[in-house]
Amino acid sequence: MASNRRSKNITEGIARAPNRSMYYAMGYQEADFKKPMIGVANGHSTITPCNSGLQKLADAAVLGIKEAGGNPQIFGTPTISDGMAMGTEGMKYSLVSREVIADCIETCVGGQWMDGVVTVGGCDKNMPGAMMGMLRANVPGIFIYGGTILPGRYQGKDLNIVSVFEAVGEFTAGRMSEEDFCQIERRSIPGTGSCGGMYTANTMSSSFEALGMSLPGSSTMANVHDEIVGMAAAAAKAVVEAIRLDLKPRDIVTRKSIENAVAVIMATGGSTNAVLHFLAIAHCAEVEWTIDDFERVRRKVPVLCDLKPSGRYLAVDLHRAGGIPQVMKTLLVAGLLHGECMTITGKTVAENLADIPDFPRADQDVIRPIGNPMYAEGHLAILKGNLSPEGCVAKITGLKNPVITGPARVFDDEQSALAAIMAKQIVAGDVMVLRYLGPKGAPGMPEMLAPTGALIGQGLGESVGLITDGRFSGGTWGMVVGHVAPEAYAGGLIALVQEGDSITIDAHTLSLQLNVSDEEIARRRAEWVPPTPRYTRGVLAKFARNASSASSGAVLDKFERLD
C-alpha cells in the first residue's frame, strides 16, 4: 500500500509540474507549496475616497499572511462610487457592481484553488459583494473594512456627503447663500474613507462584525488612523488560523448569526440597503431568511445609537464610545443576541465580548443603555399592502407622524422627479411615486438620494411621501418607502398608479395602499403594456434579464429547480 501511495503522489506531482512552474516564475521555492495559498481581494482604486485608502490595508494583509506562514495571492475587485454616480446614469451600475465583485472573488478563489481569502473593501457594494463571493467560494475568509471618513467642518458644524445633497435643496429654496453652498461642497469630504454616518458602508461593516466575519472592533475605525493598519494584519493572520481550524464562512454565517447582524443594524439605525443585501447574503449562504424576518427582529430590538442620518453623531463618534462591541454587549446582556454563534476569531460572540462592559459608558451619549433607547423598536419596517404585496422597506423613526395620505405625483424616472422638486412643483401632502427604477426596470435599482436630499433641503422631508421600486441611500431619511415589490417593470401595481390617485403610507399599520377600487385597477391592468427593455446588450441587459425581485435580494442566480 505504501508503494502504491508513493506512486500516486509521484504521478500527481508530475501532473502538477506545469502548475508549479508558473509559481517558480514568480519567485516561489519548493517549501512554498506546503503553505496555504490565500487570496487578497483588493478593492483599492482612485475612483472614490472610500477606496483610495485601501492599498495600505492590502499591503498589511499581505505582510500578515506571510508572517503567519501563508502565501498571499493578490487580485483586484472593481468598485462604483455611489456618491459620485448618484443622480446619473452611472448609478444604475452600483447594484450591478455587487454581483461583479462577488463573481470576481468566486472566480479567482475557485479558479486558482485558493485555500483562503482576505477581502478588502470600502464603498457600499464592496461589502455585500465580498461577503457573497466568500460564501459562494466557502473557503476560510474574512472581510477587512477600509474604514470610515473623518467629518468635514464649516461654521462650527460637522459635515458629510449628505450635507451636500441637502444643501442643494436649501440653496434652491433660497434658504442658503451661494458662498455657504460652495463652502459645504468643498469641505464635506476631507480625505479618504467611506461616508461617515450610519449610511450603507458603515451599516454593512458594522453588521459584518456582528455576523462574525470581521474582527471585533474593526468596523468603525477611521481610514486615516494608524490602528486600522494593524487590524488588517491581524485579520489576515486570523484567516491562516481559520484554515488550520477548517473554519469556513458557511460555518459562521447561519440563521442565528444573520439575526445578530440584523439586530445590530436595528440598534444602530442602519441603512435600508441592508435589507436587500442580507437577503442576498442569506441566499448565497443557503440560509432560510425572508423579508418578514427583518420585521420580526425589528419589533424586539430598540434603536440604541444616536447616529446620522436621523441622529446627531458619526461613525467615528461611535468608535470612541465603544464601537460595535459595546453595542453588541448591550444587546447580549439584554438577551437580544445569540452569544453561542461562532466567529472568524475561532471564538463565540459571547467569548469575544467577555471583557466588554455590560453597559455603555456614562461619559458618552452616542450609545444609549437598553432601558433608555432612542426608540423602543427598530427603524426599518417592512410595509405591505396592495401596492407592495411582496413587501417594501421604510425608515419609520425620527418622524413626527409616520402616516400620510395624499395625491400621487407620478414619475417614470429620477431626473424628472428631481426637476419637479427643484421647480417647487411638489408641495406638502403630496406622495411622489418614482417607478421603473427596480432591479429590472432601471435596471440596477438606483438610489434616490438626490430627490430625497432636495426634499429635506426644502423643508419637505416629513410632509411629502416618496415611494419607489428603486432604492435609497443609507443617508436618506424622511417619509420614504423603497424596494416596492413587485416592481413596475414586472407589472407590479406601482406601474398602474395615475397622477392624483390617493395613496396611504402608514407606518403604524405597516401598510402601503393605493386607494383605488379593484374594478378600476383591473381595468388599468388590462390596458397596461410592458415596457421594452432599456438595454439589450452588456452588463445592464444581463442584470435586467436575470435579477430577482427586491423582496428576495435582487440576486442573479435565483433559478427554478429543474427537478
Side-chain angles (χ1 to χ4, degrees), residues 135-154:
L135 285 163
R136 291 184 200 164
N138 202 34
V139 298
I142 196 168
F143 182 78
I144 295 175
Y145 181 43
T148 187
I149 202 168
L150 296 179
R153 294 283 291 178
Y154 180 60

Side-chain angles (χ1 to χ4, degrees), residues 185-438:
E185 179 186 27
R186 292 180 184 132
R187 296 168 182 258
S188 290
I189 310 296
T192 57
S194 297
C195 298
M198 192 48 67
Y199 310 145
T200 303
N202 287 321
T203 296
M204 297 310 296
S205 70
S206 298
S207 65
F208 284 4
E209 182 177 329
L211 189 66
M213 287 294 291
S214 293
L215 290 187
S218 66
S219 65
T220 51
M221 293 178 177
N223 178 264
V224 297
H225 289 164
D226 292 341
E227 64 176 343
I228 200 167
V229 176
M231 177 276 296
K237 292 175 182 178
V239 168
V240 178
E241 178 63 12
I243 292 171
R244 188 186 70 80
L245 297 172
D246 194 30
L247 180 59
K248 299 182 178 72
R250 293 196 192 187
D251 300 323
I252 296 170
V253 181
T254 64
R255 181 172 171 82
K256 285 185 176 181
S257 70
I258 290 176
E259 186 164 319
N260 284 349
V262 173
V264 166
I265 291 165
M266 296 296 176
T268 56
S271 167
T272 55
N273 282 310
V275 175
L276 189 77
H277 296 325
F278 267 95
L279 287 167
I281 288 165
H283 172 74
C284 291
E286 298 187 77
V287 169
E288 182 181 348
W289 187 269
T290 72
I291 195 168
D292 295 321
D293 285 309
F294 292 93
E295 182 61 28
R296 175 177 58 82
V297 176
R298 183 191 73 83
R299 289 179 178 273
K300 66 180 182 179
V301 177
V303 179
L304 297 178
C305 299
D306 188 1
L307 297 169
K308 290 182 180 294
S310 55
R312 294 179 293 168
Y313 294 108
L314 297 169
V316 289
D317 303 308
L318 174 61
H319 192 64
R320 286 191 286 264
I324 295 303
Q326 184 61 74
V327 176
M328 291 180 68
K329 186 60 176 285
T330 304
L331 294 174
L332 181 67
V333 171
L336 296 172
L337 281 191
H338 300 288
E340 72 275 19
C341 288
M342 180 53 62
T343 74
I344 189 59
T345 66
K347 298 178 181 180
T348 66
V349 166
E351 289 170 337
N352 284 339
L353 299 175
D355 295 332
I356 304 298
D358 286 355
F359 306 101
R361 298 196 319 267
D363 65 347
Q364 58 79 44
D365 59 355
V366 182
I367 307 170
R368 298 277 194 94
I370 200 77
N372 183 33
M374 295 286 295
Y375 306 99
E377 294 182 340
H379 63 302
L380 297 181
I382 305 302
L383 276 55
K384 292 189 176 182
N386 66 355
L387 264 172
S388 191
E390 293 180 12
C392 54
V393 187
K395 276 187 179 179
I396 62 172
T397 52
L399 300 174
K400 296 183 180 70
N401 181 24
V403 179
I404 185 172
T405 295
R409 304 298 309 279
V410 182
F411 304 91
D412 288 349
D413 60 74
E414 178 188 3
Q415 288 71 29
S416 60
L418 181 60
I421 297 169
M422 302 294 274
K424 301 182 183 178
Q425 295 171 358
I426 305 300
V427 299
D430 285 346
V431 178
M432 298 185 72
V433 179
L434 280 64
R435 64 189 181 190
Y436 294 104
L437 294 166

Side-chain angles (χ1 to χ4, degrees), residues 38-42 55 58-59 62 66 71-76 108 114:
I38 301 173
V40 178
N42 183 7
Q55 189 59 49
D59 291 342
V62 167
K66 289 180 178 179
N71 284 323
Q73 299 286 328
I74 306 163
F75 61 92
C108 288
M114 293 175 182

